[in-house]
Amino acid sequence: MRTQLLLLLWVALCLHGDAVAFFFGRTAGGALAGSTGQGGGDGAALRRSKRGWMWNHFFLLEEYTGTDYQYVGKLHSDQDRGDGSVKYVLNGDGAGTLFLIDENSGDIHATKRLDREEKAYYTLRAQAVNKFTNHPLEPESEFIIKIHDINDNEPKFSKEVYTASVPEMVEVGTNVAQVTATDADDPTYGNSARLVYSILQGQPYFSVEPDTGVIRTALPNMNRENREHFQVVIQAKDMAGQMGGLSGTTTVNITLSDVNDNPPRFPQSVYQFSVLESAGTGSPVGRIKATDADIGVNAEMDYNVIGGDGLDAFDIVTDRATQEGVLTVKKPLNFERKSAYVLKVQVENTRPDPRFSAAGPFRDTATLKVTVEDVDEPPVFERDGYVMEVKEDADAGTTVGSVSASDPDTSRSLIRYSIDRRTDMDRLFNIHPGNGTIFTLRPLDREETAWHNISVTATEFSNPRQLSRVRVFIRVLDVNDNAPTFATVYETFVCENAKPAQRIQTVSATDADEPKGGHRFFFSLAPEAAVKANFTVKDNRDNTAGILTRRSGFSRAQKSVYLVPVVISDGEFPMQSSTSTLTVRVCSCDRHGNMKACSAEAYALSAGLSTGALVAILLCVIILLMIVVLFAALRRQKKKEPLIISKEDVRDNVVSYNDEGGGEEDTQAFDIGTLRNPEATEDGKQRRDIIPETLYPPAAARRPPAGPSRDNADVRDFIAGRLQENDADPTAPPYDSLATYAYEGAGSVAHSLSSLESAVADGDQDYNYLSDWGPRFKKLADMYGGEDSDRDS
């Protein structure tokens, strides 16, 4: 009976939704208390095996908002007789913290609000033990506390902002994008997680499928050129979209991508341009631009000239950076010939879309009117260059040719011609300034210059800054004004035993002229040499001639050299001729004609050396000898001791310019070595400006006693004293310096030494004593002492 009551209580609790209680019981002998069984057919009593724990789930709502602990359920054991000896123990997830149990009554409470989205269920273990002995009365059993969901989470989209694009002009229902939202509530319990999508902003252009969140186009022919960007707001609501449900929103930015659905169009049908006639090929004239509502590659255009009278004069190209048509000059323009052009230009897309071809051609045309403006142009020559001819024997003032230039402008200014003298430095030509006639200033020589290249300038009288130039090539024509000569200097030999008609040499000729038909030379022996000629000339008729002997036997002793004059003439008009001489030397030869002995020139000739070569060799030998002699002289000069050896020795730097000694020939005046190294001076060495008495005895000993002369003892004593003072003075100047020995005073027995005031004749004077005064007085002694000897003789 008790078991039935407990079962009814559990059902009531389940229906109430608050908690589920676990009951467990034990009867004596293992039977459930209050349970009895009837005997079977054999009268035996029925027994039911003991069920210690009867378990089920406890259910607890999340987000409890009450102030007290939330009741979960109750545990009870059959062993609990209410005497307070049973204690209930709880273990597992959250036991003691989230969940508390009354150990006496077995009631379980939750201590705080729980969130199913954090943890959906908790697994715990319960056991009844004896409070006094702490022995378990029942085995430990496990049960679950499951958290019931409530709608406490709103839907959330995977992105806050979506970006999508769709081509313009697409059909209705074209898929644009898909949005997705999620709900953290339990999808298996009620409608808390059942979502429904709806569009809050973006109608009527777009729609969204409620179940999938797929966004589709809702209007046909959406044009990007009208509107390009759309902002669509999508909502996701739970509880199947019913009132009271939670919702979330997201934004979808949708862009219409461009398609080539618009043709290019010119803003105007006629364009006006102007260009100078001096504009070069490729010069830009102007720009035109067609408009296209499309963008990117769909707006790329090509421009072409398809008609008009300027097809050959102008061209148009596309500037890819700006999609403009650039009109350019195709060939040089001339205002005087054509001053205006009309062109028809077409523009078209480079990538047309065939889906929109039914809307019409994706091209457009416009008319371009181009005006050519006149500019002051320089004169124009009739030709790009001129070639003229003149004979080299033409007199000064001969007309060579003429050039012609004109003013291309409508003003038709007069032209003045001149020659650029930088191209005619020798002033061989001149030009008439009015009519452009070129003439020579002096005769020309083709052999000197065969072609002349001059520059002629044409300038306008009204505007001298406008000028142009042209090249004139003048060819000097050849005339027969040069006589032919030997091609080289010929020298040969003839054997003494030569036979008649023996060829000794072949000669050829050359001519500075260049006849049109080529050279034709004629050779012959000079008339003055034809009488008793020893040699003959045979014309080979191939511009060469052979020199042949005319007799046999030649004697080198009689004549060793023969000069053979050969007359050479050309075949042109007027005929030119000259006489060239062949030198033939007589040599002794063997029987085979090989030379054995000859003059020195002949030997050189046989060895391949000409007279010029011998002269060159001789000059080289002379130059070498001169170099050897010069080198020897330089080496001899180097052996002389230089005046200044060291720049540091200041004593060598004293140069005296008042030397009145023996002059340039007096090289024995003093020893420079004494100045360089005074300590090395030898005591017994004689002065270089004093004649040693050992080698040269005094003149008194060498000469016979002179005749009676005046007594000049006072002068001699005076000079001797001064000499002694200078010789003994260590600070005296060098021996070759000027020393003044002046003696003046009244009553001097020497009187004047001048011969002009001498009372006696020169012949009465005795100057032999001057020879005793040293080399410095030697010339004076020779001049005066020698006269006596000359006079005596």
Side-chain angles (χ1 to χ4, degrees), residues 47 68 160 351 758:
R47 290 182 178 273
D68 298 331
E160 293 183 1
R351 300 182 182 182
S758 177

Side-chain angles (χ1 to χ4, degrees), residues 768-783:
N768 292 330
Y769 63 87
L770 297 175
S771 300
D772 300 335
W773 290 2
R776 283 183 286 184
F777 296 93
K778 182 176 183 300
K779 287 189 179 292
L780 189 61
D782 293 340
M783 290 173 59

Side-chain angles (χ1 to χ4, degrees), residues 69-207:
Y69 287 167
Q70 186 179 7
Y71 182 73
V72 177
K74 184 180 183 62
L75 296 179
H76 187 73
S77 174
D78 290 345
Q79 301 296 324
D80 187 2
R81 296 182 175 84
D83 55 0
S85 61
V86 177
K87 181 177 68 173
Y88 297 94
V89 180
L90 186 65
N91 295 305
D93 293 340
T97 56
L98 292 180
F99 302 101
L100 298 178
I101 189 171
D102 189 340
E103 62 178 14
N104 296 319
S105 63
D107 293 332
I108 303 174
H109 291 83
T111 61
K112 65 178 181 179
R113 184 175 59 182
L114 302 178
D115 188 358
R116 188 200 67 83
E117 286 70 36
E118 292 182 3
K119 192 173 181 65
Y121 60 90
Y122 298 86
T123 303
L124 296 97
R125 297 182 303 278
Q127 191 175 27
V129 298
N130 189 294
K131 182 183 298 184
F132 304 106
T133 63
N134 209 27
H135 291 295
L137 302 176
E138 299 290 344
E140 188 178 50
S141 296
E142 190 176 74
F143 65 96
I144 294 175
I145 300 176
K146 187 174 183 180
I147 310 301
H148 267 271
D149 182 50
I150 63 172
N151 190 16
D152 60 342
N153 292 281
E154 71 276 4
K156 293 184 179 298
F157 285 92
S158 58
K159 298 180 181 179
E160 293 183 1
V161 178
Y162 288 82
T163 301
S165 66
V166 62
E168 62 176 335
M169 309 300 290
V170 294
E171 299 178 353
V172 175
T174 301
N175 190 341
V176 178
Q178 184 177 13
V179 295
T180 303
T182 58
D183 195 324
D185 293 328
D186 188 0
T188 63
Y189 182 76
N191 294 326
S192 297
R194 184 180 176 186
L195 304 181
V196 174
Y197 298 95
S198 62
I199 184 168
L200 301 181
Q201 179 182 322
Q203 296 171 332
Y205 306 100
F206 301 95
S207 63

Side-chain angles (χ1 to χ4, degrees), residues 320-335:
R320 293 300 175 190
T322 61
Q323 295 302 316
E324 292 177 316
V326 183
L327 185 65
T328 60
V329 178
K330 191 175 182 179
K331 71 173 186 178
L333 305 175
N334 193 325
F335 171 81

Side-chain angles (χ1 to χ4, degrees), residues 51 114 154 167 205 210 257 298 411 443-444 457 478 486 520 577 594 657 672 734 737 788:
R51 183 174 59 188
L114 302 178
E154 71 276 4
Y205 306 100
S257 59
N298 297 318
S411 59
L444 307 176
T457 303
D478 184 43
F486 274 161
R520 177 66 180 94
S577 63
N594 299 321
Y657 297 96
I672 192 65
S737 61
D788 295 340

